[in-house]
Amino acid sequence: MVLDLLIVGASFAGLVAAKTAAARGLDVAVIDSKREPGANIRTTGILVREAIDEIDIPAHLTRKVPGVRLYAPNLSSVDLFCPGYAFYTTRTAALLRWLTDEAREAGARVLYGLRFDGGSTDNGLIRLDGIDIQTRYLIGADGARSRVAKCFGLNPNRRFLTGVETEFETGDSVDPRFLHCFLSAAFAPGHIAWAAPGPDVIQVGLAVGNGKKPDLAAFLAHTESRFGWRSMKIVERRSGLIPCGGPLRQTASPGVLLIGDAAGWVSPLTGGGIRLAFRHGRRAASYVADHLLNGGAAPEARLVSDVPPLRWKRLLRRAFDLTPPDPLLNLALSTGPMRRAAELVYFHRSAHGVDRDAYQKWLDLEYAGQARPANRLGKTG
Ligand SMILES: Cc1cc2nc3c(=O)[nH]c(=O)nc-3n(C[C@H](O)[C@H](O)[C@H](O)COP(=O)(O)OP(=O)(O)OC[C@H]3O[C@@H](n4cnc5c(N)ncnc54)[C@H](O)[C@@H]3O)c2cc1C
């Protein structure tokens, strides 16, 4: 089989790229070593508002979560929210199945149970080892430890956070209006712990920086009296690596492009990568189509100039690596500068200075008939 484009990895980046490529008229296939769409999920799957703006996802696959409750190590907390902004937890496996259907309906072949083990360039075509496929372009959307990057001499990710997560059956103790985020040098050095109210389950996890060992059991014990995890049934457990060194320098060579985690396109600060996977997945496919069908500029060059620098997030990542000791975090959480810094990280702007009327309207919309968050400046815990 000779294709215009072969994509390795049928996840957020690869499936969105496949849909765009097929819709533009390319002969495209995606391969993935997983046995079926939605198998072996390794992510919490929370979408930031901007990810929803990238592609229109059916509402029934998501749950809107308008605020963030940020906890100090001693479990005192502040509520953060920003009118007009929200996070969306997802039925992640169903979302990946939907993305697969979308790609197929656009005309892409999505083939599960096929692993990329290597390939080589020959006369303008890329041949895969052990699979009867040749292709004019190859996109590596194969995640944090990309085999495509290794095979074609592109940069590998070198810095990672290690994330672990347990899914619990829904319980009343986790207020569903908030993403619950926990700062702690003891339990989540270099990152945070979280409890996310998904559409069907509560996802509780944490990530730790390079070389540290995540201990979710200790965090669950620390928060047991507040949330009562022991009375909830465990549905699933997962773990995975999150690249945190920022975008890689060399992510393209003739005929080969990396996207998503494979290219290091993950926020070094929050560890969120799905939005960038959607955005650059679409763009990469569109550049390949423009080149092959319209004689447009080489996609290798265009994609590289698209790379988000994420400079300030890289700087903050360095600061995060030196997580302050827990007593200092306890003191800092309720201060104005800390709140504003947190609002910038979560919402990309501060709610400080939001017009009073707009704020009131937003409260009415999000919290109609429910207990309202303490107040926009107040402590709740
Ligand atoms: C614990 C955890 C929680 C996270 N939570 C969030 C979150 O809430 N929100 C967010 O935005 N981001 C989150 N992230 C990051 C996010 O999951 C990634 O940025 C995102 O999944 C990247 O998508 P991708 O398509 O680039 O790669 P991936 O989702 O990693 O997919 C790679 C695909 O390639 C396939 N593959 C790999 N090697 C091969 C091969 N050799 N041959 C064939 N197929 C192959 C894999 O099976 C997989 O399907 C989290 C990450 C972790 C680990």
PDB file of all heavy atoms in Angstrom, residues 69-80 183 326-343 352 375-381:
ATOM      1  N   ARG A  69     -10.549  24.471  43.267  1.00  0.00           N
ATOM      2  CA  ARG A  69     -10.344  24.621  44.715  1.00  0.00           C
ATOM      3  C   ARG A  69      -8.895  24.199  44.979  1.00  0.00           C
ATOM      4  O   ARG A  69      -8.530  23.050  44.757  1.00  0.00           O
ATOM      5  CB  ARG A  69     -11.340  23.767  45.497  1.00  0.00           C
ATOM      6  CG  ARG A  69     -11.192  23.928  46.997  1.00  0.00           C
ATOM      7  CD  ARG A  69     -12.441  23.433  47.729  1.00  0.00           C
ATOM      8  NE  ARG A  69     -13.559  24.371  47.610  1.00  0.00           N
ATOM      9  CZ  ARG A  69     -14.800  24.112  48.018  1.00  0.00           C
ATOM     10  NH1 ARG A  69     -15.087  22.950  48.571  1.00  0.00           N
ATOM     11  NH2 ARG A  69     -15.752  25.015  47.870  1.00  0.00           N
ATOM     12  N   LEU A  70      -8.100  25.172  45.407  1.00  0.00           N
ATOM     13  CA  LEU A  70      -6.670  24.928  45.579  1.00  0.00           C
ATOM     14  C   LEU A  70      -6.373  24.753  47.065  1.00  0.00           C
ATOM     15  O   LEU A  70      -6.715  25.614  47.879  1.00  0.00           O
ATOM     16  CB  LEU A  70      -5.899  26.128  45.002  1.00  0.00           C
ATOM     17  CG  LEU A  70      -4.385  26.026  44.965  1.00  0.00           C
ATOM     18  CD1 LEU A  70      -3.921  24.871  44.065  1.00  0.00           C
ATOM     19  CD2 LEU A  70      -3.781  27.348  44.441  1.00  0.00           C
ATOM     20  N   TYR A  71      -5.745  23.637  47.396  1.00  0.00           N
ATOM     21  CA  TYR A  71      -5.501  23.284  48.800  1.00  0.00           C
ATOM     22  C   TYR A  71      -4.029  23.466  49.153  1.00  0.00           C
ATOM     23  O   TYR A  71      -3.136  23.094  48.381  1.00  0.00           O
ATOM     24  CB  TYR A  71      -5.842  21.806  49.043  1.00  0.00           C
ATOM     25  CG  TYR A  71      -7.297  21.452  48.861  1.00  0.00           C
ATOM     26  CD1 TYR A  71      -7.828  21.223  47.591  1.00  0.00           C
ATOM     27  CD2 TYR A  71      -8.139  21.312  49.958  1.00  0.00           C
ATOM     28  CE1 TYR A  71      -9.161  20.875  47.425  1.00  0.00           C
ATOM     29  CE2 TYR A  71      -9.473  20.956  49.798  1.00  0.00           C
ATOM     30  CZ  TYR A  71      -9.976  20.743  48.529  1.00  0.00           C
ATOM     31  OH  TYR A  71     -11.299  20.397  48.365  1.00  0.00           O
ATOM     32  N   ALA A  72      -3.795  23.989  50.359  1.00  0.00           N
ATOM     33  CA  ALA A  72      -2.444  23.995  50.932  1.00  0.00           C
ATOM     34  C   ALA A  72      -2.202  22.603  51.526  1.00  0.00           C
ATOM     35  O   ALA A  72      -3.137  21.819  51.687  1.00  0.00           O
ATOM     36  CB  ALA A  72      -2.368  25.065  52.010  1.00  0.00           C
ATOM     37  N   PRO A  73      -0.953  22.308  51.895  1.00  0.00           N
ATOM     38  CA  PRO A  73      -0.679  20.989  52.483  1.00  0.00           C
ATOM     39  C   PRO A  73      -1.514  20.696  53.726  1.00  0.00           C
ATOM     40  O   PRO A  73      -1.865  19.543  53.989  1.00  0.00           O
ATOM     41  CB  PRO A  73       0.815  21.073  52.827  1.00  0.00           C
ATOM     42  CG  PRO A  73       1.362  22.077  51.864  1.00  0.00           C
ATOM     43  CD  PRO A  73       0.287  23.081  51.628  1.00  0.00           C
ATOM     44  N   ASN A  74      -1.884  21.738  54.506  1.00  0.00           N
ATOM     45  CA  ASN A  74      -2.708  21.487  55.699  1.00  0.00           C
ATOM     46  C   ASN A  74      -4.205  21.406  55.353  1.00  0.00           C
ATOM     47  O   ASN A  74      -5.054  21.390  56.243  1.00  0.00           O
ATOM     48  CB  ASN A  74      -2.470  22.565  56.773  1.00  0.00           C
ATOM     49  CG  ASN A  74      -2.876  23.958  56.274  1.00  0.00           C
ATOM     50  OD1 ASN A  74      -3.494  24.090  55.212  1.00  0.00           O
ATOM     51  ND2 ASN A  74      -2.534  24.994  57.030  1.00  0.00           N
ATOM     52  N   LEU A  75      -4.523  21.373  54.056  1.00  0.00           N
ATOM     53  CA  LEU A  75      -5.881  21.210  53.512  1.00  0.00           C
ATOM     54  C   LEU A  75      -6.785  22.429  53.704  1.00  0.00           C
ATOM     55  O   LEU A  75      -7.990  22.342  53.482  1.00  0.00           O
ATOM     56  CB  LEU A  75      -6.563  19.932  54.023  1.00  0.00           C
ATOM     57  CG  LEU A  75      -5.825  18.621  53.696  1.00  0.00           C
ATOM     58  CD1 LEU A  75      -6.668  17.416  54.099  1.00  0.00           C
ATOM     59  CD2 LEU A  75      -5.488  18.530  52.208  1.00  0.00           C
ATOM     60  N   SER A  76      -6.230  23.583  54.122  1.00  0.00           N
ATOM     61  CA  SER A  76      -7.005  24.818  53.976  1.00  0.00           C
ATOM     62  C   SER A  76      -7.061  25.097  52.467  1.00  0.00           C
ATOM     63  O   SER A  76      -6.199  24.622  51.711  1.00  0.00           O
ATOM     64  CB  SER A  76      -6.357  25.981  54.729  1.00  0.00           C
ATOM     65  OG  SER A  76      -5.129  26.313  54.124  1.00  0.00           O
ATOM     66  N   SER A  77      -8.075  25.849  52.025  1.00  0.00           N
ATOM     67  CA  SER A  77      -8.228  25.976  50.571  1.00  0.00           C
ATOM     68  C   SER A  77      -8.740  27.351  50.168  1.00  0.00           C
ATOM     69  O   SER A  77      -9.317  28.070  50.988  1.00  0.00           O
ATOM     70  CB  SER A  77      -9.196  24.901  50.057  1.00  0.00           C
ATOM     71  OG  SER A  77     -10.469  25.080  50.635  1.00  0.00           O
ATOM     72  N   VAL A  78      -8.509  27.692  48.909  1.00  0.00           N
ATOM     73  CA  VAL A  78      -9.133  28.886  48.320  1.00  0.00           C
ATOM     74  C   VAL A  78      -9.836  28.445  47.041  1.00  0.00           C
ATOM     75  O   VAL A  78      -9.415  27.486  46.387  1.00  0.00           O
ATOM     76  CB  VAL A  78      -8.118  29.996  47.974  1.00  0.00           C
ATOM     77  CG1 VAL A  78      -7.541  30.626  49.224  1.00  0.00           C
ATOM     78  CG2 VAL A  78      -7.027  29.484  47.069  1.00  0.00           C
ATOM     79  N   ASP A  79     -10.920  29.144  46.719  1.00  0.00           N
ATOM     80  CA  ASP A  79     -11.651  28.848  45.485  1.00  0.00           C
ATOM     81  C   ASP A  79     -11.240  29.839  44.411  1.00  0.00           C
ATOM     82  O   ASP A  79     -11.223  31.049  44.647  1.00  0.00           O
ATOM     83  CB  ASP A  79     -13.161  28.952  45.721  1.00  0.00           C
ATOM     84  CG  ASP A  79     -13.661  27.853  46.644  1.00  0.00           C
ATOM     85  OD1 ASP A  79     -12.917  26.873  46.857  1.00  0.00           O
ATOM     86  OD2 ASP A  79     -14.793  27.978  47.153  1.00  0.00           O
ATOM     87  N   LEU A  80     -10.934  29.322  43.243  1.00  0.00           N
ATOM     88  CA  LEU A  80     -10.526  30.160  42.125  1.00  0.00           C
ATOM     89  C   LEU A  80     -11.513  29.952  40.989  1.00  0.00           C
ATOM     90  O   LEU A  80     -11.916  28.819  40.713  1.00  0.00           O
ATOM     91  CB  LEU A  80      -9.135  29.763  41.635  1.00  0.00           C
ATOM     92  CG  LEU A  80      -8.008  29.711  42.665  1.00  0.00           C
ATOM     93  CD1 LEU A  80      -6.759  29.118  42.031  1.00  0.00           C
ATOM     94  CD2 LEU A  80      -7.716  31.101  43.194  1.00  0.00           C
ATOM     95  N   LEU A 183      -1.427  21.373  46.651  1.00  0.00           N
ATOM     96  CA  LEU A 183       0.000  21.666  46.639  1.00  0.00           C
ATOM     97  C   LEU A 183       0.634  20.909  47.800  1.00  0.00           C
ATOM     98  O   LEU A 183       0.120  20.967  48.921  1.00  0.00           O
ATOM     99  CB  LEU A 183       0.233  23.163  46.846  1.00  0.00           C
ATOM    100  CG  LEU A 183      -0.343  24.101  45.777  1.00  0.00           C
ATOM    101  CD1 LEU A 183      -0.253  25.540  46.267  1.00  0.00           C
ATOM    102  CD2 LEU A 183       0.421  23.932  44.474  1.00  0.00           C
ATOM    103  N   ASP A 326       6.317  22.544  52.889  1.00  0.00           N
ATOM    104  CA  ASP A 326       4.888  22.614  53.175  1.00  0.00           C
ATOM    105  C   ASP A 326       4.491  23.758  54.123  1.00  0.00           C
ATOM    106  O   ASP A 326       3.479  24.427  53.878  1.00  0.00           O
ATOM    107  CB  ASP A 326       4.386  21.253  53.695  1.00  0.00           C
ATOM    108  CG  ASP A 326       4.235  20.259  52.544  1.00  0.00           C
ATOM    109  OD1 ASP A 326       4.432  20.689  51.373  1.00  0.00           O
ATOM    110  OD2 ASP A 326       3.927  19.089  52.795  1.00  0.00           O
ATOM    111  N   PRO A 327       5.248  24.040  55.187  1.00  0.00           N
ATOM    112  CA  PRO A 327       4.820  25.145  56.072  1.00  0.00           C
ATOM    113  C   PRO A 327       4.748  26.477  55.325  1.00  0.00           C
ATOM    114  O   PRO A 327       3.836  27.284  55.564  1.00  0.00           O
ATOM    115  CB  PRO A 327       5.915  25.171  57.145  1.00  0.00           C
ATOM    116  CG  PRO A 327       6.478  23.785  57.157  1.00  0.00           C
ATOM    117  CD  PRO A 327       6.393  23.306  55.743  1.00  0.00           C
ATOM    118  N   LEU A 328       5.664  26.676  54.375  1.00  0.00           N
ATOM    119  CA  LEU A 328       5.643  27.931  53.604  1.00  0.00           C
ATOM    120  C   LEU A 328       4.417  27.965  52.673  1.00  0.00           C
ATOM    121  O   LEU A 328       3.744  28.995  52.524  1.00  0.00           O
ATOM    122  CB  LEU A 328       6.938  28.026  52.789  1.00  0.00           C
ATOM    123  CG  LEU A 328       7.302  29.400  52.257  1.00  0.00           C
ATOM    124  CD1 LEU A 328       7.469  30.359  53.429  1.00  0.00           C
ATOM    125  CD2 LEU A 328       8.607  29.327  51.462  1.00  0.00           C
ATOM    126  N   LEU A 329       4.096  26.825  52.079  1.00  0.00           N
ATOM    127  CA  LEU A 329       2.907  26.762  51.207  1.00  0.00           C
ATOM    128  C   LEU A 329       1.641  27.029  52.024  1.00  0.00           C
ATOM    129  O   LEU A 329       0.721  27.703  51.556  1.00  0.00           O
ATOM    130  CB  LEU A 329       2.804  25.389  50.541  1.00  0.00           C
ATOM    131  CG  LEU A 329       3.800  25.113  49.408  1.00  0.00           C
ATOM    132  CD1 LEU A 329       3.712  23.653  48.960  1.00  0.00           C
ATOM    133  CD2 LEU A 329       3.526  26.022  48.211  1.00  0.00           C
ATOM    134  N   ASN A 330       1.588  26.523  53.255  1.00  0.00           N
ATOM    135  CA  ASN A 330       0.423  26.767  54.123  1.00  0.00           C
ATOM    136  C   ASN A 330       0.219  28.263  54.326  1.00  0.00           C
ATOM    137  O   ASN A 330      -0.907  28.762  54.282  1.00  0.00           O
ATOM    138  CB  ASN A 330       0.609  26.097  55.489  1.00  0.00           C
ATOM    139  CG  ASN A 330       0.498  24.589  55.397  1.00  0.00           C
ATOM    140  OD1 ASN A 330      -0.139  24.070  54.497  1.00  0.00           O
ATOM    141  ND2 ASN A 330       1.128  23.894  56.330  1.00  0.00           N
ATOM    142  N   LEU A 331       1.325  28.970  54.545  1.00  0.00           N
ATOM    143  CA  LEU A 331       1.235  30.417  54.784  1.00  0.00           C
ATOM    144  C   LEU A 331       0.885  31.178  53.504  1.00  0.00           C
ATOM    145  O   LEU A 331       0.113  32.128  53.510  1.00  0.00           O
ATOM    146  CB  LEU A 331       2.586  30.949  55.302  1.00  0.00           C
ATOM    147  CG  LEU A 331       2.909  30.662  56.757  1.00  0.00           C
ATOM    148  CD1 LEU A 331       4.298  31.181  57.092  1.00  0.00           C
ATOM    149  CD2 LEU A 331       1.872  31.343  57.666  1.00  0.00           C
ATOM    150  N   ALA A 332       1.471  30.718  52.384  1.00  0.00           N
ATOM    151  CA  ALA A 332       1.374  31.500  51.141  1.00  0.00           C
ATOM    152  C   ALA A 332      -0.004  31.428  50.491  1.00  0.00           C
ATOM    153  O   ALA A 332      -0.440  32.374  49.835  1.00  0.00           O
ATOM    154  CB  ALA A 332       2.427  31.017  50.144  1.00  0.00           C
ATOM    155  N   LEU A 333      -0.733  30.315  50.716  1.00  0.00           N
ATOM    156  CA  LEU A 333      -1.930  30.074  49.899  1.00  0.00           C
ATOM    157  C   LEU A 333      -2.967  31.197  49.957  1.00  0.00           C
ATOM    158  O   LEU A 333      -3.572  31.537  48.951  1.00  0.00           O
ATOM    159  CB  LEU A 333      -2.595  28.754  50.298  1.00  0.00           C
ATOM    160  CG  LEU A 333      -3.730  28.362  49.351  1.00  0.00           C
ATOM    161  CD1 LEU A 333      -3.186  27.879  48.024  1.00  0.00           C
ATOM    162  CD2 LEU A 333      -4.623  27.310  49.952  1.00  0.00           C
ATOM    163  N   SER A 334      -3.146  31.784  51.126  1.00  0.00           N
ATOM    164  CA  SER A 334      -4.231  32.768  51.236  1.00  0.00           C
ATOM    165  C   SER A 334      -3.786  34.177  50.838  1.00  0.00           C
ATOM    166  O   SER A 334      -4.569  35.116  50.918  1.00  0.00           O
ATOM    167  CB  SER A 334      -4.762  32.775  52.666  1.00  0.00           C
ATOM    168  OG  SER A 334      -3.687  33.041  53.541  1.00  0.00           O
ATOM    169  N   THR A 335      -2.540  34.343  50.406  1.00  0.00           N
ATOM    170  CA  THR A 335      -2.074  35.699  50.075  1.00  0.00           C
ATOM    171  C   THR A 335      -2.538  36.108  48.678  1.00  0.00           C
ATOM    172  O   THR A 335      -2.724  35.244  47.795  1.00  0.00           O
ATOM    173  CB  THR A 335      -0.535  35.788  50.134  1.00  0.00           C
ATOM    174  OG1 THR A 335      -0.004  34.911  49.133  1.00  0.00           O
ATOM    175  CG2 THR A 335      -0.002  35.379  51.508  1.00  0.00           C
ATOM    176  N   GLY A 336      -2.721  37.408  48.465  1.00  0.00           N
ATOM    177  CA  GLY A 336      -3.176  37.919  47.170  1.00  0.00           C
ATOM    178  C   GLY A 336      -2.263  37.529  46.021  1.00  0.00           C
ATOM    179  O   GLY A 336      -2.733  37.011  44.993  1.00  0.00           O
ATOM    180  N   PRO A 337      -0.930  37.738  46.133  1.00  0.00           N
ATOM    181  CA  PRO A 337      -0.037  37.395  45.020  1.00  0.00           C
ATOM    182  C   PRO A 337      -0.121  35.920  44.632  1.00  0.00           C
ATOM    183  O   PRO A 337      -0.093  35.575  43.462  1.00  0.00           O
ATOM    184  CB  PRO A 337       1.359  37.749  45.560  1.00  0.00           C
ATOM    185  CG  PRO A 337       1.108  38.777  46.608  1.00  0.00           C
ATOM    186  CD  PRO A 337      -0.225  38.440  47.215  1.00  0.00           C
ATOM    187  N   MET A 338      -0.245  35.053  45.644  1.00  0.00           N
ATOM    188  CA  MET A 338      -0.325  33.612  45.357  1.00  0.00           C
ATOM    189  C   MET A 338      -1.612  33.294  44.588  1.00  0.00           C
ATOM    190  O   MET A 338      -1.616  32.534  43.627  1.00  0.00           O
ATOM    191  CB  MET A 338      -0.286  32.855  46.696  1.00  0.00           C
ATOM    192  CG  MET A 338      -0.386  31.364  46.551  1.00  0.00           C
ATOM    193  SD  MET A 338       1.175  30.664  46.022  1.00  0.00           S
ATOM    194  CE  MET A 338       0.799  28.937  46.155  1.00  0.00           C
ATOM    195  N   ARG A 339      -2.726  33.911  45.034  1.00  0.00           N
ATOM    196  CA  ARG A 339      -3.998  33.696  44.338  1.00  0.00           C
ATOM    197  C   ARG A 339      -3.903  34.135  42.893  1.00  0.00           C
ATOM    198  O   ARG A 339      -4.344  33.439  41.977  1.00  0.00           O
ATOM    199  CB  ARG A 339      -5.116  34.513  44.999  1.00  0.00           C
ATOM    200  CG  ARG A 339      -5.702  33.919  46.241  1.00  0.00           C
ATOM    201  CD  ARG A 339      -6.842  34.806  46.689  1.00  0.00           C
ATOM    202  NE  ARG A 339      -7.874  34.840  45.652  1.00  0.00           N
ATOM    203  CZ  ARG A 339      -8.922  34.032  45.625  1.00  0.00           C
ATOM    204  NH1 ARG A 339      -9.076  33.138  46.564  1.00  0.00           N
ATOM    205  NH2 ARG A 339      -9.806  34.125  44.662  1.00  0.00           N
ATOM    206  N   ARG A 340      -3.333  35.315  42.694  1.00  0.00           N
ATOM    207  CA  ARG A 340      -3.280  35.843  41.327  1.00  0.00           C
ATOM    208  C   ARG A 340      -2.370  34.986  40.445  1.00  0.00           C
ATOM    209  O   ARG A 340      -2.671  34.734  39.290  1.00  0.00           O
ATOM    210  CB  ARG A 340      -2.857  37.305  41.334  1.00  0.00           C
ATOM    211  CG  ARG A 340      -4.066  38.187  41.669  1.00  0.00           C
ATOM    212  CD  ARG A 340      -3.857  39.608  41.235  1.00  0.00           C
ATOM    213  NE  ARG A 340      -3.145  40.370  42.239  1.00  0.00           N
ATOM    214  CZ  ARG A 340      -3.674  40.745  43.400  1.00  0.00           C
ATOM    215  NH1 ARG A 340      -4.918  40.439  43.693  1.00  0.00           N
ATOM    216  NH2 ARG A 340      -2.969  41.432  44.258  1.00  0.00           N
ATOM    217  N   ALA A 341      -1.248  34.521  41.039  1.00  0.00           N
ATOM    218  CA  ALA A 341      -0.359  33.634  40.272  1.00  0.00           C
ATOM    219  C   ALA A 341      -1.121  32.363  39.892  1.00  0.00           C
ATOM    220  O   ALA A 341      -1.048  31.895  38.749  1.00  0.00           O
ATOM    221  CB  ALA A 341       0.879  33.298  41.105  1.00  0.00           C
ATOM    222  N   ALA A 342      -1.897  31.829  40.847  1.00  0.00           N
ATOM    223  CA  ALA A 342      -2.651  30.599  40.568  1.00  0.00           C
ATOM    224  C   ALA A 342      -3.705  30.853  39.492  1.00  0.00           C
ATOM    225  O   ALA A 342      -3.912  30.027  38.590  1.00  0.00           O
ATOM    226  CB  ALA A 342      -3.299  30.088  41.847  1.00  0.00           C
ATOM    227  N   GLU A 343      -4.379  32.003  39.562  1.00  0.00           N
ATOM    228  CA  GLU A 343      -5.388  32.312  38.537  1.00  0.00           C
ATOM    229  C   GLU A 343      -4.748  32.396  37.147  1.00  0.00           C
ATOM    230  O   GLU A 343      -5.321  31.928  36.166  1.00  0.00           O
ATOM    231  CB  GLU A 343      -6.086  33.626  38.886  1.00  0.00           C
ATOM    232  CG  GLU A 343      -7.109  33.467  40.005  1.00  0.00           C
ATOM    233  CD  GLU A 343      -7.650  34.799  40.516  1.00  0.00           C
ATOM    234  OE1 GLU A 343      -7.099  35.855  40.160  1.00  0.00           O
ATOM    235  OE2 GLU A 343      -8.613  34.774  41.283  1.00  0.00           O
ATOM    236  N   HIS A 352      -9.125  38.994  39.096  1.00  0.00           N
ATOM    237  CA  HIS A 352      -9.030  40.262  39.792  1.00  0.00           C
ATOM    238  C   HIS A 352      -9.407  41.383  38.816  1.00  0.00           C
ATOM    239  O   HIS A 352      -8.881  41.453  37.713  1.00  0.00           O
ATOM    240  CB  HIS A 352      -7.588  40.448  40.259  1.00  0.00           C
ATOM    241  CG  HIS A 352      -7.456  41.498  41.292  1.00  0.00           C
ATOM    242  ND1 HIS A 352      -7.855  41.296  42.587  1.00  0.00           N
ATOM    243  CD2 HIS A 352      -6.968  42.747  41.230  1.00  0.00           C
ATOM    244  CE1 HIS A 352      -7.603  42.383  43.282  1.00  0.00           C
ATOM    245  NE2 HIS A 352      -7.070  43.276  42.481  1.00  0.00           N
ATOM    246  N   ASN A 375     -16.340  33.396  48.564  1.00  0.00           N
ATOM    247  CA  ASN A 375     -16.390  34.676  47.872  1.00  0.00           C
ATOM    248  C   ASN A 375     -15.116  34.759  47.048  1.00  0.00           C
ATOM    249  O   ASN A 375     -14.207  33.962  47.225  1.00  0.00           O
ATOM    250  CB  ASN A 375     -16.568  35.872  48.817  1.00  0.00           C
ATOM    251  CG  ASN A 375     -15.370  36.058  49.716  1.00  0.00           C
ATOM    252  OD1 ASN A 375     -14.261  36.175  49.241  1.00  0.00           O
ATOM    253  ND2 ASN A 375     -15.621  36.044  51.018  1.00  0.00           N
ATOM    254  N   ARG A 376     -15.048  35.713  46.144  1.00  0.00           N
ATOM    255  CA  ARG A 376     -13.966  35.656  45.181  1.00  0.00           C
ATOM    256  C   ARG A 376     -12.603  35.886  45.805  1.00  0.00           C
ATOM    257  O   ARG A 376     -11.590  35.616  45.207  1.00  0.00           O
ATOM    258  CB  ARG A 376     -14.207  36.630  44.043  1.00  0.00           C
ATOM    259  CG  ARG A 376     -14.339  38.046  44.478  1.00  0.00           C
ATOM    260  CD  ARG A 376     -14.827  38.859  43.340  1.00  0.00           C
ATOM    261  NE  ARG A 376     -13.881  38.831  42.240  1.00  0.00           N
ATOM    262  CZ  ARG A 376     -13.710  39.861  41.438  1.00  0.00           C
ATOM    263  NH1 ARG A 376     -14.389  40.969  41.615  1.00  0.00           N
ATOM    264  NH2 ARG A 376     -12.863  39.790  40.457  1.00  0.00           N
ATOM    265  N   LEU A 377     -12.564  36.416  47.019  1.00  0.00           N
ATOM    266  CA  LEU A 377     -11.270  36.612  47.656  1.00  0.00           C
ATOM    267  C   LEU A 377     -11.085  35.694  48.860  1.00  0.00           C
ATOM    268  O   LEU A 377     -10.038  35.650  49.456  1.00  0.00           O
ATOM    269  CB  LEU A 377     -11.122  38.066  48.130  1.00  0.00           C
ATOM    270  CG  LEU A 377     -11.164  39.102  47.035  1.00  0.00           C
ATOM    271  CD1 LEU A 377     -11.178  40.492  47.642  1.00  0.00           C
ATOM    272  CD2 LEU A 377      -9.969  38.945  46.111  1.00  0.00           C
ATOM    273  N   GLY A 378     -12.153  34.935  49.181  1.00  0.00           N
ATOM    274  CA  GLY A 378     -12.169  34.327  50.510  1.00  0.00           C
ATOM    275  C   GLY A 378     -11.604  32.931  50.601  1.00  0.00           C
ATOM    276  O   GLY A 378     -11.491  32.200  49.615  1.00  0.00           O
ATOM    277  N   LYS A 379     -11.228  32.562  51.781  1.00  0.00           N
ATOM    278  CA  LYS A 379     -10.795  31.204  52.095  1.00  0.00           C
ATOM    279  C   LYS A 379     -12.045  30.366  52.351  1.00  0.00           C
ATOM    280  O   LYS A 379     -13.020  30.867  52.875  1.00  0.00           O
ATOM    281  CB  LYS A 379     -10.002  31.207  53.390  1.00  0.00           C
ATOM    282  CG  LYS A 379      -8.524  31.400  53.201  1.00  0.00           C
ATOM    283  CD  LYS A 379      -7.913  31.652  54.524  1.00  0.00           C
ATOM    284  CE  LYS A 379      -7.246  30.404  55.043  1.00  0.00           C
ATOM    285  NZ  LYS A 379      -6.403  30.711  56.199  1.00  0.00           N
ATOM    286  N   THR A 380     -12.005  29.097  52.007  1.00  0.00           N
ATOM    287  CA  THR A 380     -13.162  28.266  52.301  1.00  0.00           C
ATOM    288  C   THR A 380     -12.846  27.226  53.363  1.00  0.00           C
ATOM    289  O   THR A 380     -13.717  26.681  53.977  1.00  0.00           O
ATOM    290  CB  THR A 380     -13.656  27.510  51.055  1.00  0.00           C
ATOM    291  OG1 THR A 380     -12.587  26.749  50.563  1.00  0.00           O
ATOM    292  CG2 THR A 380     -14.159  28.446  50.009  1.00  0.00           C
ATOM    293  N   GLY A 381     -11.608  26.859  53.483  1.00  0.00           N
ATOM    294  CA  GLY A 381     -11.321  25.743  54.375  1.00  0.00           C
ATOM    295  C   GLY A 381     -10.640  26.175  55.653  1.00  0.00           C
ATOM    296  O   GLY A 381     -10.273  27.297  55.810  1.00  0.00           O
TER     297      GLY A 381
END
